[in-house]
Every structure is written in structure tokens, then in C-alpha cells.
């Protein structure tokens, strides 16, 4: 069956297409309440679905928010595989829905532009996670839509930023292991890029090591991607070649899961033989066996705060003085870390 159009509704109602449009938008200054009610009944009878793309062009408002996740690692499916992103997006989507907005989710490969998609979809705003090349941010300034950054260390007052102190988080995790009596501590991490989240956590790891007057051994840093697979590979390498390592800080919970799995496959007991601490406290952390000790950030709340901040910017609300909102970090003690026997 042919999809009914606004002209079909107008014809049955005996009014112009413009009058139907006014009725859809509740314009009582243009059409009477009686006409609006009559048109609404005809729309229901014909099962007419308004073209939101056309309406967004007229009103210059799409009610669409772009959610941008960089795909900078070699492991391209992180956007789908890592529950961290689903928990973050859940927080964003729930808050957007409260205000009648919808999200458009997209991964962006290194070197790709998001500008064409932003313009074509007439986005009202965007939330960007992670770090991008400088020209990527410059492009967004040109199309002049509100932007909120999550987990970005770009120093530009044009953007609002929501994040945590990742350097402190890395320090907190490593110091926790040191306080449990460990001195040979491995770091299993994603690619360390300048001014990225992973680099900050790595710097926190180094600070704790040096503060304790321990030797920083670069061979104890296992760097590749924030994936379960990398955790597996690193755990196997630690079990085979670095028996002196008694504790591991994994910069993401998924990485920690992989490391624990391979360590146990290699005959190591966690935490009896080797302790492991993660980062993020994704929902699976408390379900994992053994339950994962980790650094907790409220991922869902972070997404919700970013969305509310963005909506406030779009709707012209009162400007918040702080250009950056930093959320707290805490240690969640579960079952993967134990004090080292002397």
C-alpha cells in the first residue's frame, strides 16, 4: 500500500498542506482548535506518519543528537564488544528521551570526518567520547552546534567536558597494590597516546611506582588495545616470562577479564598467585568469577550528565560556570587482590 502523505491528509480534511503542518505543530494562531482535532482524527484514520526529516528542515531542529565514538585501536569492534560503551550510551539515551531527543550512534575511524553526517542529519548537538585529531574539533566549530566531550583532555573552552581524573585513577589502583605488599606490578593497557585516557592512567601507574621508590621496568608494561583478547595475550606472556610479577593493574575491566582468564588457564590462581585490579567497574565486574576488584567510576551517570549538559546548551539554559565536570573515583574491593605474603 502507498504510504499516505501530508497532501492526502489535506485533501480528506479539505484544508491546505500548510494547515496540516500547522496542526501537527500545534499552531493555534494559524488554525483553530476544532480544525486541529479534526486533522488529528484524519491522521489517525489514514495512519499518516509525519516526515520528521522534512519537519526538521522547516523548524531547523531535528531532535537528533550525534554520539561519536572513536575507533582508533586496531581492535575495531570495541564499540560493540565493550560493555563500558553500552552503559555510557544507556545513561545518555535515558536522559535524552526524558527531553524528547533521540540519538544517532556512530563510530569514527582514525582520519575520518564526521562533518558530512552531522550536516546531512541536521544534528542539534553531539556528544563525543575519547580523543580525536585537532582538525576534527576544528571542523565541529565551523558547523556551530553544541558539543560535549566525554573523557577528552583537549584544552579548548569552546567545548564542555565531562570526565574523571584518569591519572589519579591509575595512581589509586597501583598504590592499592603497593599497599598490599606488591612491588613487581605489571600494567596491561591499551595504546598509550598523548593526552589520552590510557596515557593518563599509565602516568598514574608510574607515579605510584616511583613514589614507592620501586624501579620502573618498561618490560612490565604490556601495551596494545583495550580488549579482552589483549588481556588474554598479556596474561599468557606474564605467566610464561615474568614469574616475578605478583600483581597486575589492567586499565580497563575487559582487559582485566582477559588477563585473569589466561593466567588461570596457565595454572595461576587469582588472587593466591597473582593479584589483578581493573578500572571502570562495568556491571560484569561483580558477576565475574572471581568478582573483580576495580576502580569505580559511575559510567551511566557520566553519560546522563553529559546529555543533560548538552540539552541545557541546546535549549539556551543558564550557562554553568564550570567548563569541566570531574566525577569521583573509588576503589571497589572484591576478590581478585590479596596481600602479598612476605
Amino acid at each position: 500500500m502507498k504510504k499516505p502523505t501530508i497532501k492526502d491528509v489535506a485533501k480528506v480534511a479539505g484544508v491546505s498542506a500548510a494547515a496540516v503542518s500547522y496542526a501537527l505543530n500545534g499552531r493555534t494562531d494559524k488554525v483553530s482548535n476544532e480544525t486541529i482535532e479534526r486533522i488529528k482524527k484524519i491522521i489517525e484514520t489514514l495512519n499518516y506518519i509525519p516526515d520528521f526529516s522534512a519537519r526538521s528542515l522547516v523548524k531547523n531542529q531535528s531532535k537528533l543528537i550525534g554520539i561519536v565514538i572513536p575507533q582508533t585501536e586496531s581492535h575495531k569492534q570495541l564499540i560493540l564488544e565493550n560493555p563500558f560503551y553500552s552503559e555510557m550510551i544507556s545513561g545518555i539515551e535515558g536522559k535524552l528521551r526524558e527531553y524528547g531527543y533521540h540519538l544517532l550512534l556512530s563510530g569514527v575511524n582514525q582520519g575520518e570526518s564526521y562533518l558530512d553526517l552531522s550536516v546531512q542529519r541536521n544534528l542539534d548537538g553531539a556528544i563525543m567520547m575519547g580523543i580525536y585529531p585537532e582538525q576534527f574539533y576544528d571542523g565541529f566549530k565551523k558547523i556551530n552546534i553544541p558539543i560535549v566531550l566525554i573523557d577528552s583532555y583537549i584544552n579548548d573552552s569552546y567545548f564542555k567536558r565531562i570526565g574523571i581524573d584518569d591519572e589519579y585513577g591509575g595512581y589509586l589502583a597501583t598504590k592499592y597494590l603497593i599497599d598490599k605488599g606488591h612491588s613487581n606490578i605489571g600494567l596491561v593497557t591499551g595504546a598509550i597516546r598523548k593526552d589520552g585516557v590510557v596515557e593518563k592512567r599509565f602516568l598514574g601507574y608510574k607515579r605510584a611506582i616511583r613514589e614507592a621508590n620501586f624501579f620502573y621496568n618498561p618490560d612490565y608494561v604490556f601495551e596494545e588495545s583495550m580488549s579482552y583478547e589483549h588481556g588474554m595475550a598479556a596474561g599468557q606472556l606474564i605467566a610464561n616470562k615474568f614469574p616475578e610479577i605478583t600483581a597486575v593493574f589492567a586499565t580497563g575491566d575487559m582487559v582485566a577479564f582477559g588477563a585473569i582468564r589466561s593466567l588461570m588457564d596457565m595454572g595461576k590462581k587469582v588472587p593466591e598467585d597473582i593479584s589483578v585490579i581493573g578500572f571502570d567497574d562495568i556491571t560484569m565486574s561483580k558477576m565475574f568469577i572471581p568478582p573483580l576488584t576495580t576502580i569505580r567510576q559511575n559510567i551511566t551517570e557520566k553519560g546522563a550528565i553529559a546529555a543533560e549538559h548538552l540539552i541545557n546548551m541546546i535549549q539556551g539554559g543558564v550557562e554553568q560556570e564550570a567548563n569541566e565536570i570531574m566525577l569521583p573515583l573509588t576503589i571497589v574491593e572484591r576478590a581478585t587482590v590479596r596481600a602479598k605474603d612476605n
Side-chain angles (χ1 to χ4, degrees), residues 161-283:
R161 289 175 289 149
I162 314 293
I164 56 173
D165 187 339
D166 288 286
E167 193 275 344
Y168 174 68
Y171 171 82
L172 196 64
T174 310
K175 188 175 187 307
Y176 178 76
L177 296 173
I178 291 169
D179 290 344
K180 292 291 185 181
H182 300 279
S183 55
N184 294 324
I185 300 170
L187 179 74
V188 183
T189 184
I192 299 171
R193 294 188 173 86
K194 181 173 171 54
D195 291 329
V197 164
V198 169
E199 185 201 41
K200 301 296 183 186
R201 295 177 189 179
F202 164 63
L203 292 174
Y205 162 83
K206 286 177 72 175
R207 176 160 70 97
I209 294 289
R210 286 170 173 163
E211 187 181 272
N213 292 317
F214 295 154
F215 171 68
Y216 164 68
N217 188 342
D219 290 342
Y220 288 177
V221 177
F222 305 89
E223 173 194 0
E224 191 195 72
S225 74
M226 296 289 281
S227 66
Y228 180 86
E229 287 76 11
H230 172 52
M232 287 274 290
Q236 187 173 24
L237 195 58
I238 289 167
N240 281 331
K241 295 189 175 181
F242 299 94
E244 71 277 15
I245 290 178
T246 62
V248 169
F249 165 36
T251 58
D253 290 343
M254 286 296 287
V255 182
F257 296 158
I260 291 170
R261 169 64 189 274
S262 64
L263 285 167
M264 294 176 85
D265 285 350
M266 298 294 289
K268 298 284 186 181
K269 293 180 180 178
V270 177
E272 290 82 2
D273 298 326
I274 187 163
S275 292
V276 179
I277 188 169
F279 201 114
D280 290 327
D281 194 29
I282 61 177
T283 302

Side-chain angles (χ1 to χ4, degrees), residues 6-42:
I6 195 169
K7 290 182 179 178
D8 295 327
V9 175
K11 185 177 180 180
V12 174
V15 297
S16 67
V20 175
S21 179
Y22 293 142
L24 286 168
N25 291 296
R27 293 286 302 274
T28 54
D29 59 324
K30 295 289 186 180
V31 289
S32 67
N33 285 323
E34 183 184 345
T35 303
I36 290 174
E37 288 305 314
R38 184 159 52 87
I39 289 171
K40 282 182 177 178
K41 288 178 182 176
I42 292 168

Side-chain angles (χ1 to χ4, degrees), residues 18-213:
V20 175
S21 179
Y22 293 142
L24 286 168
N25 291 296
R27 293 286 302 274
T28 54
D29 59 324
K30 295 289 186 180
V31 289
S32 67
N33 285 323
E34 183 184 345
T35 303
I36 290 174
E37 288 305 314
R38 184 159 52 87
I39 289 171
K40 282 182 177 178
K41 288 178 182 176
I42 292 168
I43 284 172
E44 190 175 338
T45 302
L46 294 179
N47 197 26
Y48 167 69
I49 300 171
D51 186 338
F52 285 99
S53 297
R55 290 176 70 183
S56 74
L57 290 173
V58 174
K59 300 176 73 173
N60 197 29
Q61 188 181 58
S62 64
K63 289 288 184 177
L64 271 180
I65 303 298
I67 311 297
V68 194
I69 300 177
Q71 299 294 276
T72 54
E73 306 240 20
S74 57
H75 197 71
K76 296 293 185 183
Q77 298 305 313
L78 283 177
I79 187 173
L80 300 174
E81 292 180 359
N82 195 337
F84 174 86
Y85 291 115
S86 62
E87 290 181 31
M88 179 82 72
I89 292 163
S90 175
I92 294 171
E93 194 277 333
K95 184 60 64 175
L96 291 180
R97 189 159 22 91
E98 282 182 30
Y99 289 89
Y101 287 84
H102 305 277
L103 63 81
L104 181 67
L105 178 63
S106 176
V108 176
N109 291 328
Q110 212 167 5
E112 280 186 352
S113 172
Y114 191 73
L115 289 179
D116 289 345
L117 182 61
S118 304
V119 173
Q120 288 166 6
R121 297 298 183 119
N122 191 31
L123 297 180
D124 290 342
I127 296 172
M128 299 161 61
M129 302 182 199
I131 59 170
Y132 302 84
E134 191 173 330
Q135 61 269 25
F136 192 91
Y137 298 101
D138 291 339
F140 265 104
K141 290 181 184 179
K142 292 175 184 175
I143 57 174
N144 195 31
I145 62 172
I147 307 286
V148 171
L149 308 181
I150 297 177
D151 295 335
S152 173
Y153 286 91
I154 183 173
N155 187 20
D156 190 325
S157 60
Y158 179 87
F159 303 102
K160 303 291 183 181
R161 289 175 289 149
I162 314 293
I164 56 173
D165 187 339
D166 288 286
E167 193 275 344
Y168 174 68
Y171 171 82
L172 196 64
T174 310
K175 188 175 187 307
Y176 178 76
L177 296 173
I178 291 169
D179 290 344
K180 292 291 185 181
H182 300 279
S183 55
N184 294 324
I185 300 170
L187 179 74
V188 183
T189 184
I192 299 171
R193 294 188 173 86
K194 181 173 171 54
D195 291 329
V197 164
V198 169
E199 185 201 41
K200 301 296 183 186
R201 295 177 189 179
F202 164 63
L203 292 174
Y205 162 83
K206 286 177 72 175
R207 176 160 70 97
I209 294 289
R210 286 170 173 163
E211 187 181 272
N213 292 317

